[in-house]
Amino acid sequence: MGYDPPLSGVTVLDLSSGPMTAVGRLLADLGAGVTPVALSGVTEPVAERAPLATAINRHGMTPAAVDPADWRRLLAEADILIENTAPGSVAERMLSVKTIRADHPALVILSISDFGRDNRFRGWQATTPVLHALTSELSRSGIPGRAPLVPPGSQLPYQVAAAQAAVLTMSVLLDRLRTGTGDLIDFAVLDGAMQTLDPPFGTAGTASGGVALNAQRRDWNAEQLRYPIIPCKDGHIRICLLAKRQWHGMLTWMGRPEEFTDPSFDSLRVRLGSPALLAAIGRFCADRTRTELEAEGQRHGVPTAAVLTLPEALRTEQVSQRGLFREVDLGAGRRAPVPIGIVEIDGHRASALTASAFVAQRPSGAPILGARPRRDEGLPLEGLRVLDLGVIVVGADTGRLLGDLGADVVKIENSAFPDGLRGSLTSVSHTYAAGHRNKRSIGIDLRGAEGRALAHRLVEMSDVVLTNFKPGVAAALGMDHATLATINPGIVVVDSSAFGPTGPWAARMGYGPLVRAAAGVTDLWVYPGAKDTFCDTVTVYPDHVAARIGALSAMAVLVRRERTGTGGAVSVAQSEVMLSHLAAEIAGEVPAEPTVSWGLFPAAGEDAWIAVTARDASDESALRTVIGDEDLAAWTARHTPVAAMELLQAAGVPAGAVFHAADLPDWEYYVARRAFREELHPHGAEPFILENVQVHAERIADPPLRQAPLLGEQTREIARDLLGLTDTEIDELIARGVLETAGH
């Protein structure tokens, strides 16, 4: 049998417009039948020449203009409805999603707006710079003393938010299959952008040393030492020297210069605090080409990536062999290369362009998940069990997201190879607490046959396995899909990697900053006219959004499992997720000429800025009603960022204070949306502020309060309750090192 798209048979009605049409694109590429709908009085007629980004999101879809009678019929036959009418508008009243919800209780409704529909900010306006500002991401981008730097990608906050929206929608659909009841999701683009691009209270990379992003400010010089970008003969390279073994590889590669052989340089803190070391590496690289340095670095175990331009990245053998792009007719005489799917399912690129003509019957039940016991805590993934072997950020976030939505997530780990995000086996950092809440931990040594046998017994009673090891490691540990499918044919295995499982770069180590360099993003993240001002150092992008793509795809395959009985393999390449976010730019989109009142402007206070983005003449006129004839920069300089934002947004002008991360929990919007919560972790040094609500919906509760575990903290509980071992058997396995508990 050929490739069976996981969402085949799922029907989606899409009333959305603008950048959030990216949600429908994600669902269509996973096999759903997505119909863009023009509904009289609610949406505009389908334009013959849509904006390029929208055309990319809509390719392969057949739009439909419907009258009220057709609309009622379509609603009765649909599984998912997506809409983004403006809050308070005539269109919102005419559509009346609450009436639709009452009339069609099985329908999953994704109601999208910039700021949600349940608070006083519902009428505020967003743009890409405004979203970057209000998520706090912008405060970490750029060089101190200069205006913050808006990251590349004209619709990046919307695209990452779309991944979050798709995850939440899929979790409700999966639950609908077993309960018969859908839900109405009040999704705010700002929430999705904050949680999914570079979350200030989420997990951060190993270079942060466990320090959460909310405790970091722009420090461009210090950041250059974490993932240094080094000038070389024909451009720049970026290297990673976080691990001790990586440093030893660099030391050997450089010929072991005496001034750096002191054992103190084994300490990451010492290396990061040594400008002399960075200068020496610079001298070492100066007369070598990017290609030479990449090859030599990889040979010495030093993760190394050339800083490529976007055109160079697209011409690499890796991108070519992987077949991410295809020339597509975008209508109105436009043809352009577009991504044809950013995830692989069962070895096939999941795309509407690669699907067969076969369409499955509409999913109507859940014979597998429907038989699972539920805790009745109001969470859509209750009864689902996930084995989490993931590490660092993308590994942490994928499992945490599923745990927040109700799955029983069991983290399998071992003290010989602990998750690099831990930092300590006896305490829990803020960033670890953020990434591993709502998980249980069992310590198992997978290197031996006994440990693998225990893990395989857990696989027998699980639904999903998450991995993001270096290539070949999962297979060596017996935790790859080929092995696990023989144990449990219904298992879904998600693998996340830097560049994908095939191609000449498949074996490359994939730290986010190196992937950004190789994908052309780092080269774009510079101040205009200043090509060496690389400013993508603090951000954790694309780990968090890649995690969403993995979680979304896993749930989609679980939907398929309900009709086929078998699971599948999911593979996500982080570099391809990033390139998909630049699809419009790659296709040749020409940015609109900004108005005079578009940019970052200084405000009253230290390192205080505001994004003001008048989109057109109407916005310019509204802005003038607020500031009169005064120069905009002079006006903003007299106001605090929040005061200026309030005045401008009240007039309908998109504006956003450039918040620092620590500002977010107390801002009225995030308080109203219950975005954050505080916890006192028994193994943490101080109270942690963590993300809270994932889904604003009628039937879904806030995430559970289970705290991130120490390594092996629930080993006895899991071994007893799931594996059926006696206390004596558990003690014996612990004594021989097959199992581990916290502190042993």
Side-chain angles (χ1 to χ4, degrees), residues 433-450:
H436 291 281
R437 70 181 190 185
N438 293 320
K439 298 180 184 181
R440 299 189 287 169
S441 172
I442 181 171
I444 303 179
D445 187 353
L446 294 176
R447 295 170 296 176
E450 281 186 288

Side-chain angles (χ1 to χ4, degrees), residues 113 148 254 391 429 453 464 537 578 657 731 734:
S113 58
M254 294 172 65
V391 295
S429 68
V464 178
T537 47
M578 274 192 286
D731 289 340
I734 291 172

Side-chain angles (χ1 to χ4, degrees), residues 467-481:
T467 70
N468 64 322
F469 296 121
K470 291 185 293 185
V473 172
L477 296 175
M479 298 301 287
D480 59 310
H481 180 258

Side-chain angles (χ1 to χ4, degrees), residues 323-408:
L324 174 63
F325 290 91
R326 180 183 295 180
E327 286 278 335
V328 170
D329 183 355
L330 297 175
R334 295 174 295 181
R335 288 189 63 82
V338 302
I340 61 166
I342 54 173
V343 66
E344 291 170 289
I345 308 289
D346 303 333
H348 298 267
R349 192 169 287 282
S351 169
L353 296 175
T354 61
S356 66
F358 168 77
V359 177
Q361 289 187 336
R362 182 183 179 189
S364 59
I368 298 174
L369 281 180
R372 303 286 176 80
R374 301 181 59 135
R375 302 187 303 273
D376 293 325
E377 294 177 357
L379 297 166
L381 299 187
E382 290 180 25
L384 196 72
R385 179 165 296 121
V386 177
L387 299 185
D388 182 2
L389 283 79
V391 295
I392 315 296
V393 178
V394 69
D397 243 31
T398 312
R400 190 271 304 173
L401 189 61
L402 298 175
D404 279 0
L405 294 170
D408 175 22

Side-chain angles (χ1 to χ4, degrees), residues 630-639:
E630 188 174 0
D631 174 77
L632 177 55
W635 182 86
T636 60
R638 293 194 295 103
H639 295 77

